[in-house]
Amino acid sequence: MDFRMGTPGDADAIAALHTESWRSAYAGIMPASYLDGPLLEERRELWATRLTPEVPGDASHLLLAERDDALHGFAYLIAQPDSRILLDNLHVRPTLKRSGIGRRLMGHAFTWAAAQHPGKPVYLEVLKDNSSAIAFYERCGGSVTREFVERLPPGFELPVIEYTWTSQGVDALKN
């Protein structure tokens, strides 16, 4: 497995994997009409915007996991105004889950966070009904720090759990 930083040229592949991941993980959690709708176009717009060169290099980080030039997973982190680091996206191709790619992506992501933002906690938000992701984050040492209901732009609400890793937890997963 090769790991590298994402570039603007990766936007379409990332959007396609992001869409595939959501359609797999969120089936039965998010409305089918949303998942089967213009999700790919929304993800393309999101990644085209995120990968503009105007974003400072130390404020965000996109890491790709590839093998034989095929995208197998990605992680995206964003430094937040409250000094925490948001692991906003962690996706592995659904057919490759439980292969270690997610844990390795988290390790590389935490290495970046520790280097660019030493001592800052890393957190993520996961849908409360996404039991497989919750089990993974707990195996990776995340601690529940908040629960809330989020209203998503398409107009529906879902319960969310926030997991946080302190600098010690970040160090344990770094590569």
Side-chain angles (χ1 to χ4, degrees):
M1 187 69 50
D2 297 313
F3 294 88
R4 68 172 177 87
M5 288 183 58
T7 67
D10 297 313
D12 283 344
I14 294 164
L17 177 53
H18 197 171
T19 301
E20 179 185 355
S21 178
W22 272 32
R23 286 180 173 158
S24 173
Y26 299 153
I29 298 173
M30 288 185 173
S33 59
Y34 174 67
L35 292 174
D36 295 337
L39 185 60
L40 178 59
E41 291 76 21
E42 287 178 14
R43 300 299 95 186
R44 281 185 178 139
E45 184 178 319
L46 171 74
W47 289 105
T49 300
R50 281 185 170 175
L51 294 174
T52 59
E54 299 155 7
V55 177
D58 64 344
S60 67
H61 182 67
L62 174 63
L63 177 68
L64 307 184
E66 298 177 316
R67 177 168 289 141
D68 300 324
D69 295 325
L71 181 62
H72 289 275
F74 68 93
Y76 183 71
L77 298 102
I78 309 167
Q80 298 297 295
D82 66 3
S83 297
R84 299 184 304 159
I85 310 303
L86 172 62
L87 178 54
D88 192 48
N89 293 104
L90 177 66
H91 295 278
V92 173
R93 192 161 305 284
T95 57
L96 298 173
K97 285 190 174 180
R98 302 193 65 85
S99 67
I101 296 170
R103 183 175 278 276
R104 291 181 66 195
L105 278 166
M106 282 187 73
H108 283 284
F110 286 177
T111 298
W112 174 84
Q116 295 296 319
H117 306 277
K120 304 298 182 192
V122 175
Y123 76 102
L124 59 79
E125 298 169 351
V126 60
L127 296 180
K128 189 173 186 173
D129 291 335
N130 190 348
S131 56
S132 62
I134 287 169
F136 173 72
Y137 299 136
E138 289 181 357
R139 284 193 308 272
C140 290
S143 298
V144 174
T145 47
R146 185 168 72 117
E147 293 191 36
F148 59 97
V149 174
E150 182 174 351
R151 182 166 187 79
L152 283 87
F156 53 89
E157 295 181 346
L158 294 169
V160 174
I161 301 173
E162 178 185 275
Y163 280 87
T164 299
W165 288 261
T166 61
S167 58
Q168 294 84 7
V170 167
D171 287 342
L173 276 175
K174 287 188 329 189
N175 290 327

